[in-house]
Structures are given as C-alpha cells and as structure tokens.
Amino acid sequence: QNPLKPVTWEVGYLQTSPTEGQIIFTATIEKKWHIYSQRPTDVGPIPTSFTIAPNPNFELVGKVEEGNAHEEYVAAFEAKVFVFSEKAVFKQKIKLKNTNKTTTNCSLEFMTCNDVQCLPPSTLDFTVIIPDSGAKK
C-alpha cells in the first residue's frame, strides 16, 4: 500500500533584481487535504516552518512570507486554525552579497490533515541553486 502523499512541494529561486531574489516554496495539495499556516497555534496542528542554512553569499531579508491562509474550523482540533487548500506559496527574500553562483540547503516541516485523519509531520530537505546574478560591479 502506498503511503499517502497528499502534498507535493517544489522549491525554486526567482531573481527579482541584480542584488535580490526570492526562494519560493510551493505546495500543491490534494483536494480535501490542508496544510497549516506558519502562525503558532495552541490547539493542535504544527505550523509549517522553514529553515534556510546560513550562506556567506547572501543574507535573508525578513521572515518567510506566506500567501493568504484562510481560517477554518477543523474538527480534528475542535478549533479554528489558518489553513491552506489546493496550493500554498511561501517566499523568503534574500539579498545577494556578491554575484557568485551558490547553492543553499533548506528544510521545511509541515503537517497535513483531511477531515478524518492527520499524517505525522514531515520534514523535507531541498538544495536550491542561486545562479550567478551577473550584476556588473
């Protein structure tokens, strides 16, 4: 029996200026399943969280921003929590310190539930390539 994999993640990089970019985490979520906002909650589901390894070639700007979560009553927790359905996008802005191509290791932890069950939290590891930004000094 295949383990359930209702959520698929992709991680990519978007350069937004010669000195800035975004690491973008995109979750595609099967119908009836949810993942959770990064907002801490007392009632149950673990928040989605991200860890990006420090890298001498760039610095993180602010925290990971998330798209619009919607608040929903979740029977499993008998509480309202902020959830994502179908698709969720999280973005971490970075400021490049040089034009070098670099790779960075990221991990994310998330939990997914549907109306009847929750899967144990999962941690996934990714390597993101940040290309030579080609900025002229």
Side-chain angles (χ1 to χ4, degrees), residues 84-116:
F84 294 96
S85 307
E86 297 191 19
K87 187 175 178 182
V89 180
F90 301 84
K91 297 177 182 177
Q92 171 67 63
K93 289 183 186 158
I94 66 171
K95 187 173 173 69
L96 304 172
K97 295 184 176 176
N98 54 48
T99 61
N100 303 349
K101 177 180 173 178
T102 186
T103 58
T104 184
N105 294 317
C106 307
S107 64
L108 64 89
E109 185 179 24
F110 74 101
M111 184 170 171
T112 181
C113 303
N114 64 13
D115 293 344
V116 294

Side-chain angles (χ1 to χ4, degrees), residues 4-7 29-36 45 72-79 81 83-86 110-120:
L4 285 169
K5 279 213 171 161
V7 183
I29 306 159
E30 285 180 9
K31 288 200 183 321
K32 299 195 174 172
W33 290 85
H34 301 110
I35 65 171
Y36 296 93
E72 194 169 287
Y73 179 82
V74 177
F77 304 112
E78 299 183 352
V81 291
V83 301
F84 294 96
S85 307
E86 297 191 19
F110 74 101
M111 184 170 171
T112 181
C113 303
N114 64 13
D115 293 344
V116 294
Q117 65 174 324
C118 293
L119 300 184

